[in-house]
Amino acid sequence: MFFHLSKYAVILSLMLLLSGCWSQINFDQLTVVSAIGLDVNKQGQLEVSVQLVNPTLPVAAGGGGQQRRAIAMYTANGLTVEDALETIRKQAKKSLFFSQTKVLLIGERLARQGLDDMMDFFWREPNQNFNCWVMVSKQSIPEVLSDSKELQAVAAEEWKAYFKNKTYKPTSGGIQLYQFLPRLEQSSFQAAVPGLIQVSKPSSKDMIMEIKDLAVFRNTKLVGWLTSEEAQIISWLTQQSSLGMFEVSTKDIKSVMFELKNIHIAMKPVYENGQLQMKVRMRTQATIKTSTEKLDLTEKQTTDLLETELSNAISETIEKTVYKLYRSYKSDAIGFGEAIHRKAPKSWKTLKGDWNNKLAQINVQSSISIEIIKSGLLIDSNIKKDDVQ
Amino acid sequence: MKKSLISASQFFFIIFVSITSLTFFSVPSQLIAKVKQDLWLSMALGAIIDIYVAVLLYRLGRMYAGQSLIQYTRSILGKAGKVVGLIFLLFFLCVMVTAMWIYSDFLSRTLMPETPRLVFSISMTICAGLAAVKGIEAIARLSQIIGFIILLTSVVLFTSSIPYIQLQFLLPPFENGMLPAIQGAIYPGSWFGICIMMGMLMPHIKKQSGILKMKVYAVVLGTSVMTLYLLYSIVVMGPVMAGHFENPIYILSRITQFLIFERIEVLLLLIFISGSFITISTLYYAVTEGTAQWLGTKSHKPWVYVFGIIFILSPMFPYSNESYMVDRYLSYWFPLVSLIIEGGFMTFLFIWAVVKSKVSRSSS
């Protein structure tokens, strides 16, 4: 009898659930955060900005005559990220939805001070997107987030699409939050983050932004920038991309643009006379994209010349980039330390203590083998003038 | 009362689902942070421990056909068997409370942060309790469906996250020697060993001869799937990132894409929640039937209600919010005690039973 009754009691108690759920979020109170920006203001306080998406109805659904801003930008200061977000919630009067954040923008000034205490929020917060792309901005973040114009209404969406595009991968050096966070803690493979830089155009109010260059971090601090050409070397060495464009111009050749494909690259730690060396071996296929020079690829000489010129140029750029990283910035943003860790875990244990300062003594040797492949629409990959015999 | 019977393949799915869902909720936090890329060895050793226990259970079950773990403990050890049986029952109870605690803690921290833990434990206890009242047949049939879904989604998830993996994260192997990996085996070993509930299920299986084979297949398949999950979370995130999180598999499901869908963690959780439901209801059934046999009551149903109250309250146990105590318990006391019970007690019981049968044969 008792058990019979208790069954009904259980069923009746289910009615308690009718009053609603604990964690429910209503759509009309919810705003998607498309980008978060972190910076310091002039007083040295942390300044957090969020770009909020204001969804508009599609025309077919009766949204044709709507006049709504596509985005809204809020900024607040605080001791911590959460502290500032609390203020922003009061300003926006909405609950912020971080799970679809596209971009995390870090101000250069903050990055140079170090991100030590800021990143804890991103480790802890359960509602956030580990796939958001990290960038460093040289301009003031509130301005970038509110005024930058892209073809799409929400700029952050366009930036995300740019990073996802395969053709831009070699130079963009895109890094997602889940890759960025652990690299701030590892001296063996440190973070390098693409920059978001304004194209100077003082006349118009709209800001046109370019994603270029690479901000190099040493531990949690930004120490310097690499150009986009160097960024491409980084993305090859870290095996982010196996594509790329490379321009060669020397005494013999005016200017030839190569497209590189199927890049295979390996860094190898080698000890020579007790000195740690880094051997880079690269294998790639190159096709000529454009040339200002007349090249007759049917002649072996030309092909050989192109191959040596190209491989010299690439190897010079690799060495220049790595030395710039290791000697000027003292940061291992290509993961050579990890390469040692994987290959020789025992000797890594003795190296890892003071890895940043040991980088300056490492010599780089690169050997590159290139295969030039015919491509394009031309016979012999060559344009012959009709009257020249 | 008609005895409910299940087929060998249903038994296979019960074990498979139990292993995957227990691993999903309880093993990763300890294993990935401590053993990192060598965890496959720990998982393999854990599976070997479990297979060893399974062989003992199978031999005992065949020796005392038609009797459950609690019943033949009494037949083998006599009066002392009552005490050992009680220890087994308390162990089942403790495993269930721990599993329920981890389950509701995890859900309230990740999926629904504002929902009190009691809601999770109440809903799970009601569902599992209903299943336990209905008996093992209902649970077994459900496990076939859920086991198949787990397999299917795992395969699709693995294939669709191939573009994210970086195999070099698995290097170097045995960075700090073999020892951490071998020590790490106690975590999967102790959790897999919960399959000593196999001892309670054996009398319900139709064809007795194929049980051991099914059990081994289920353990091997379950461990392989979960090892892949754990390794995937390392090769996608890297050992540093994976080692920081309470449940890296959950983070993995947030990072990777499932075909064109992003953020599939809810799907994954749904699958493993249903997996936990199978595990908890099987344990629930085992503990209530065990208690009924131990006390000699006719039906196990009253005990479903009695234990239900304990299970509902499991997230409220003292010290459950003191992370120091919880860590000590999960990373030291629980594996230790469960290995002693699963490995030690079972070996002892088996040797005793063999000696006893030899003695009785020579005397007769």
Side-chain angles (χ1 to χ4, degrees), chain A residues 23 99 126 128 185 341 349, chain B residues 115 168 175-176 244 254 263:
Chain A
S23 309
S99 305
Q128 53 136 329
E185 300 183 357
H341 176 210
K349 269 184 192 146
Chain B
T115 313
Q168 66 266 28
E175 191 179 350
N176 301 313
H244 272 310
R254 294 182 55 157
R263 307 289 311 267

Side-chain angles (χ1 to χ4, degrees), chain B residues 99-124:
Chain B
M100 188 75 99
W101 181 81
I102 291 177
Y103 160 84
S104 33
D105 181 59
F106 174 77
L107 281 188
S108 80
R109 276 202 289 176
T110 53
L111 201 59
M112 294 186 240
E114 285 157 43
T115 313
R117 276 151 217 216
L118 267 183
V119 175
F120 300 112
S121 71
I122 288 173
S123 55
M124 182 56 101

Side-chain angles (χ1 to χ4, degrees), chain B residues 185-217:
Chain B
I186 59 166
Y187 304 118
S190 58
W191 280 102
F192 293 172
I194 289 160
C195 300
I196 58 168
M197 68 189 178
M198 169 186 167
M200 299 301 298
L201 299 184
M202 260 187 85
H204 293 285
I205 300 170
K206 273 177 213 150
K207 214 176 120 214
Q208 293 281 310
S209 56
I211 293 176
L212 185 62
K213 209 166 73 184
M214 279 300 162
K215 162 90 184 173
V216 173
Y217 285 164

Side-chain angles (χ1 to χ4, degrees), chain B residues 284-355:
Chain B
Y284 206 150
Y285 179 74
V287 77
T288 47
E289 205 191 45
T291 314
Q293 286 165 355
W294 192 70
L295 288 172
T297 47
K298 230 190 276 167
S299 163
H300 72 282
K301 281 175 193 169
W303 297 105
V304 173
Y305 301 96
V306 174
F307 286 117
I309 293 162
I310 301 176
F311 299 143
I312 284 176
L313 292 179
S314 51
M316 309 273 283
F317 271 157
Y319 303 116
S320 62
N321 279 323
E322 286 180 36
S323 46
Y324 165 74
M325 295 291 277
V326 171
D327 182 65
R328 277 299 281 172
Y329 172 67
L330 288 181
S331 63
Y332 183 74
W333 286 108
F334 180 78
L336 185 75
V337 169
S338 49
L339 277 184
I340 288 174
I341 291 175
E342 292 153 7
F345 276 37
M346 287 314 299
T347 315
F348 167 72
L349 204 61
F350 179 68
I351 293 171
W352 194 274
V354 170
V355 170

